[in-house]
């Protein structure tokens, strides 16, 4: 496997460069990065919906269950249409879903923290975690644009780190291909 990867080190390097460029876009032109994420989501929903509809039609021809596939496919195509024609609405909806998740999970964390305090007096870490989740969720509801930017920066940070790691791997594979084997420390 290592020889195949080494011969194609350049493909891994291209993936790394693409990840770094996307990450930098998320930091410096976040609108474009958010737009790209939303458009990719819409494209995925469209492809998934079309294939579900095709599967439903084939299932119907074979006299098998098809209704769920058809409804899922139609729903996917509708979501794709909304996403592709109203990308701002989709981005906003994603932020609100994240906000709702943070508030709900934070509330459950707070309940669990109060229960834990009965058995472990003075314990406050879980309480702080729950409060952090609720505050984060409320902030997203209150400032969805800023929240979307924060999510993009997290994705951008991940993309840059991932890209750097892939470039490191590509360079290591290139050295391996050239016969520049280095001893691995045990």
């Amino acid at each position: 496997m290592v020889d195949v990867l080494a011969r194609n080190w350049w493909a891994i390097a291209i993936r790394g460069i693409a990840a770094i460029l996307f990450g930098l876009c998320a930091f410096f032109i976040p609108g474009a990065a958010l737009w790209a994420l939303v458009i990719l989501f819409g494209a995925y929903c469209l492809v998934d919906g079309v294939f579900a509809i095709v599967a439903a039609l084939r299932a119907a021809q074979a006299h098998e269950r098809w209704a769920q596939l058809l409804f899922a496919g139609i729903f996917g195509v509708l979501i794709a249409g909304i996403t592709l024609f109203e990308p701002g609405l989709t981005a906003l909806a994603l932020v609100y879903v994240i906000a709702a998740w943070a508030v709900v999970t934070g509330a459950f964390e707070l309940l669990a923290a109060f229960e834990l305090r009965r058995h472990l007096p003075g314990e406050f870490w879980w309480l702080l975690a729950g409060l952090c989740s609720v505050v984060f969720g409320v902030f997203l509801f209150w400032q969805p644009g800023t929240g979307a930017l924060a999510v993009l920066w997290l994705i951008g940070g991940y993309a840059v780190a991932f890209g750097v790691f892939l470039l490191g791997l590509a360079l290591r594979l290139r050295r391996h291909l050239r016969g520049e084997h280095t001893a691995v420390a045990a």
Side-chain angles (χ1 to χ4, degrees):
M1 178 169 112
V2 70
D3 290 331
V4 172
L5 287 174
R7 283 193 303 273
N8 296 293
W9 67 269
W10 55 271
I12 295 169
I14 290 172
R15 284 182 61 204
I17 291 167
I20 290 170
L21 290 174
F22 176 77
L24 292 175
C25 283
F27 285 121
F28 296 111
I29 45 175
L34 181 60
W35 182 84
L37 286 174
V38 169
I39 295 304
L40 283 174
F41 173 72
Y44 168 76
C45 287
L46 180 62
V47 170
D48 184 65
V50 166
F51 279 104
I53 291 170
V54 168
L57 294 174
R58 289 187 177 177
Q61 289 173 345
H63 304 291
E64 295 178 11
R65 292 180 175 220
W66 55 270
Q68 290 105 342
L69 283 170
L70 181 64
F71 292 131
I74 291 170
F75 186 71
V77 171
L78 286 174
I79 293 298
I82 292 169
T83 300
L84 296 174
F85 291 110
E86 291 291 339
L89 179 63
T90 302
L92 184 63
L94 176 62
V95 172
Y96 284 139
V97 166
I98 293 169
W101 169 81
V103 169
V104 170
T105 59
F108 283 117
E109 288 164 352
L110 287 171
L111 291 172
F114 285 120
E115 181 64 29
L116 180 63
R117 288 176 62 95
R118 288 186 189 169
H119 305 286
L120 191 59
E123 174 52 44
F124 63 95
W125 292 109
W126 207 354
L127 183 72
L128 291 176
L131 283 173
C132 182
S133 292
V134 170
V135 168
F136 174 68
V138 168
F139 174 75
L140 288 180
F141 279 122
W142 181 48
Q143 294 287 329
T146 304
L149 183 62
V151 170
L152 271 176
W153 283 349
L154 286 172
I155 292 170
Y158 159 76
V160 168
F162 182 74
V164 168
F165 298 149
L166 282 182
L167 281 177
L169 172 64
L171 294 174
R172 175 76 190 246
L173 289 168
R174 183 173 177 231
R175 281 196 311 260
H176 175 80
L177 183 65
R178 292 182 171 185
E180 300 171 16
H181 302 286
T182 56
V184 177

